[in-house]
């Protein structure tokens, strides 16, 4: 995969691993973020044969994991689908038996009402999961590393295929955590793209990460 930002050098995202694009230019940072958000046409993505790819499908723009409210919520439908697809027949049947018992209890209760009330019952496990508010541990989701790790695992388990793009990770993770994140990305055989606004001399780059830098004068250093 090839990523192009305006007139700058191309970034080849070939092998799995951690990729970091850092800049000291507020213009470049804005262009990159809004490009991945598909607000500005500042970046182009293509395959190795230069066939253009849709940014929204090739990348999953997450943003800042602490400043983005309920950052995990957008994956709910994928989590529900994966849970249902991987549910074994025995447990599926047990859930549906309990669901039917609930329906019977509700129907019996409605008979006691003066109004002609009824319910629409359907065997929709996704709606049931929403009703039960299936979600990740909220306390765990207060930790930046745990949020990023969860996003990576959701991508892997749900076979999403897109590359997560996360901003400002260097503000939240120390050198040890960045090394662990780089190792995790490689273990999962995935790609993770970090966008950082910082001077390159102040950024900790794990040894196995690919690093690209644009200075405040919009000069490429890669």
């Amino acid at each position: 995969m090839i990523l192009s930002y305006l007139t700058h050098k191309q970034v080849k995202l070939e092998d799995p691993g951690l990729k970091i694009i850092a800049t000291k230019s507020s213009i470049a940072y804005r262009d990159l973020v809004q490009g991945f958000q598909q607000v500005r046409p500042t970046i182009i993505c293509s395959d190795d044969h230069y066939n253009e790819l849709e940014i929204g499908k090739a990348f999953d723009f997450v943003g800042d994991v602490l400043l983005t409210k309920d950052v995990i919520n957008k994956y709910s439908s994928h989590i529900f689908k994966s849970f249902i697809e991987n549910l074994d027949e025995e447990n599926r049947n047990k859930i549906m038996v309990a669901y039917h018992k609930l329906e019977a209890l509700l129907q019996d209760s409605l008979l006691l009402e003066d109004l002609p009330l009824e319910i629409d019952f359907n065997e929709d496990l996704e709606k049931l999961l929403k009703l039960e508010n299936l979600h990740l541990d909220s306390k765990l989701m207060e930790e930046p590393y745990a949020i990023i790790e969860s996003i990576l695992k959701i991508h892997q388990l749900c076979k999403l295929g897109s590359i997560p793009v996360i901003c400002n990770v260097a503000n939240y993770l120390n050198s040890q955590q960045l090394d662990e994140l780089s190792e995790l990305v490689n273990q999962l055989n995935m790609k993770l793209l970090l966008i950082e606004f910082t001077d390159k001399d102040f950024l900790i780059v794990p040894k196995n990460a690919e690093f690209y830098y644009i200075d405040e004068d919009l000069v490429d250093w890669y």
Side-chain angles (χ1 to χ4, degrees):
M1 183 184 293
I2 302 169
L3 182 66
S4 302
Y5 162 50
L6 295 177
T7 59
H8 293 264
K9 295 179 185 178
Q10 295 177 338
V11 173
K12 292 189 176 181
L13 306 175
E14 296 174 341
D15 300 321
L18 186 63
K19 325 291 181 180
I20 303 173
I21 300 179
T23 182
K24 188 61 176 174
S25 166
S26 58
I27 295 173
Y29 185 80
R30 178 203 64 194
D31 286 346
L32 288 168
V33 169
Q34 293 188 334
F36 283 112
Q37 290 176 324
Q38 302 177 80
V39 174
R40 290 172 177 262
T42 49
I43 57 176
I44 298 173
C45 177
S46 61
D47 61 21
D48 294 336
H49 300 290
Y50 293 93
N51 298 309
E52 189 169 348
L53 304 174
E54 290 185 39
I55 293 294
K57 292 183 178 180
F59 296 93
D60 169 29
F61 185 78
V62 179
D64 189 304
V65 294
L66 286 192
L67 298 181
T68 304
K69 186 178 180 181
D70 301 324
V71 67
I72 295 291
N73 282 1
K74 70 174 183 175
Y75 302 108
S76 294
S77 61
H78 297 293
I79 295 172
F80 294 159
K81 181 180 179 182
S82 178
F83 175 84
I84 292 168
E85 288 178 349
N86 292 294
L87 190 62
D88 62 82
E89 187 175 356
E90 181 182 356
N91 281 309
R92 183 187 297 270
N93 290 336
K94 287 179 179 178
I95 291 172
M96 296 317 302
V97 168
Y99 202 4
H100 280 284
K101 286 182 178 179
L102 173 61
E103 180 207 16
L105 286 171
L106 289 171
Q107 291 284 19
D108 289 344
S109 298
L110 292 176
L111 292 175
L112 303 177
E113 299 292 334
D114 292 332
L115 296 174
L117 302 173
E118 61 180 15
I119 59 173
D120 292 324
F121 178 81
N122 58 71
E123 297 183 355
D124 190 332
L125 283 178
E126 184 170 340
K127 287 184 178 179
L128 178 60
L129 292 175
K130 290 179 181 178
L131 179 65
E132 291 297 323
N133 191 27
L134 178 69
H135 62 280
L136 297 177
D137 187 323
S138 55
K139 284 293 182 183
L140 188 64
M141 292 300 98
E142 294 175 359
E143 296 298 327
Y145 187 90
I147 296 172
I148 298 169
E149 182 179 24
S150 297
I151 290 170
L152 292 174
K153 290 183 176 179
I154 288 170
H155 270 257
Q156 184 190 50
L157 291 172
C158 300
K159 299 178 176 60
L160 298 188
S162 55
I163 301 175
V165 180
I166 303 179
C167 303
N168 308 323
V169 169
N171 291 349
Y172 307 123
L173 304 187
N174 57 35
S175 59
Q176 180 180 341
Q177 289 174 316
L178 283 169
D179 285 337
E180 290 174 359
L181 179 60
S182 182
E183 290 178 11
L184 176 63
V185 174
N186 282 300
Q187 287 172 5
L188 296 176
N189 196 35
M190 292 179 58
K191 299 172 186 174
L192 172 62
L193 179 59
L194 306 184
I195 307 295
E196 302 290 343
F197 182 71
T198 182
D199 188 290
K200 64 183 177 70
D201 295 329
F202 294 100
L203 184 65
I204 301 170
V205 180
K207 61 181 180 181
N208 294 325
E210 295 178 16
F211 181 59
Y212 309 90
Y213 184 74
I214 302 171
D215 69 18
E216 56 191 335
D217 296 318
L218 297 174
V219 176
D220 297 332
W221 292 87
Y222 57 89

